[in-house]
Every structure is written in structure tokens, then in C-alpha cells.
Amino acid sequence: MKTANAPASSRLRKGRTSIPGQIYLVTTVTRDRNRVFDEFEAGCALCQTLNHLDRLELVRNLCFVVMPDHLHWLFTLGERRDLSAVVRMAKNNSARSLGGSIWQPGFHDRAIRREEDVLPAARYIVANPLRAGLVKKIGDYPFWYATWL
């Protein structure tokens, strides 16, 4: 149970909903847009964190891409934690594994309410490295996952 004295980062922002079983698209950026994930080991650490949350059944990963200075993550929220707690765990665990504070406070989320919107959202996520000019084909980019592939 959250108290009135809990830090703001532990509470859902006004208007944010957290519904178990709901699909969410979350975007979060690094502090000062530092290109933390240009380092191969850092990108691997964040991917491992996201996969660990899936193994714990806090989320079911559908798709993600770790960009040099931000993360796009599409998942189905599990039953045991709310949306803010899951994102906080992802950010805290990855920062701890990399030895410091790497994330900007907060995150942007969008609930995907219609089944027909899931695949277009996943395509948008996976295409990020292509649009950013990081690779010529997605198979060349090391930090992405899509459950359909």
C-alpha cells in the first residue's frame, strides 16, 4: 500500500491506468539523452533485465528495442505489479547492473486497446534502428526482440 509520503516516482501519474493483462507501449530515455547503450555490454544488460522481468512473469514481452539513448518496450502487464512498479524495476535493475544512475525520471506510456494496433506498434518499435540510420536491416541491430520472430 502506498502512503501519502511515498515519492512521486512511486505513484502513477495523474490519468495513468495500470490494468493487469493490458498491453502497454512504454518509452523511457536516458539522463540527458546520454548514449549509454552505444556500449554493447550496456545494451546487453538492459535486454537481460527486460527478459528477467518476463521470466518473473511481471510482464510478457511482446517487443522491445534498446536505442542508444532510449527504450521502446511493448508488453502485457502481469498481475503482480502495477505499471509504474514494473518500469521502475526495469530502470533500477539496469542502472544497478551498469553501476549508476542512467535514466531520466518518468516514462511515457500508451495502452494498446485494440488488437489490430499491436502489430503496427511492434513494427514501429522494431523499425527504430532503421529510421535512425543505425543499420540497413534490422537483423544487423543487436538490441531488439519481437515475440513474432
Side-chain angles (χ1 to χ4, degrees):
M1 179 173 173
K2 294 185 174 70
T3 66
N5 295 332
S9 62
S10 72
R11 297 188 298 268
L12 290 172
R13 74 167 161 74
K14 189 172 185 174
R16 179 172 281 157
T17 60
S18 182
I19 303 167
Q22 176 68 55
I23 296 173
Y24 290 96
L25 170 55
V26 168
T27 302
T28 190
V29 300
T30 59
R31 187 173 307 281
D32 299 323
R33 292 287 233 184
N34 288 326
R35 295 176 65 93
V36 173
F37 303 110
D38 274 342
E39 295 293 327
F40 186 78
E41 295 78 13
C44 288
L46 180 52
C47 291
Q48 289 171 352
T49 294
L50 300 176
N51 288 326
H52 181 70
L53 294 174
D54 188 285
R55 284 190 305 277
L56 292 174
E57 299 181 356
L58 298 177
V59 300
R60 184 169 60 92
N61 288 327
L62 300 176
C63 182
F64 61 77
V65 67
V66 177
M67 297 295 287
D69 64 355
H70 66 282
L71 166 68
H72 293 289
W73 184 20
L74 184 69
F75 60 87
T76 303
L77 184 63
E79 302 281 333
R80 297 182 8 223
R81 297 283 192 279
D82 71 21
L83 178 61
S84 288
V86 165
V87 174
R88 187 172 51 253
M89 288 175 73
K91 290 167 78 170
N92 288 345
N93 291 353
S94 60
R96 191 170 27 258
S97 72
L98 295 172
S101 176
I102 60 170
W103 295 105
Q104 178 174 300
F107 62 94
H108 178 269
D109 68 279
R110 186 182 94 178
I112 307 293
R113 302 203 190 297
R114 299 179 325 165
E115 185 67 31
E116 60 266 23
D117 294 335
V118 175
L119 202 51
R123 286 184 181 127
Y124 167 81
I125 290 169
V126 170
N128 263 265
L130 297 171
R131 284 193 303 276
L134 299 175
V135 291
K136 293 199 185 305
K137 55 184 182 175
I138 189 59
D140 292 340
Y141 194 72
F143 307 125
W144 68 281
Y145 166 81
T147 193
W148 300 275
L149 299 173

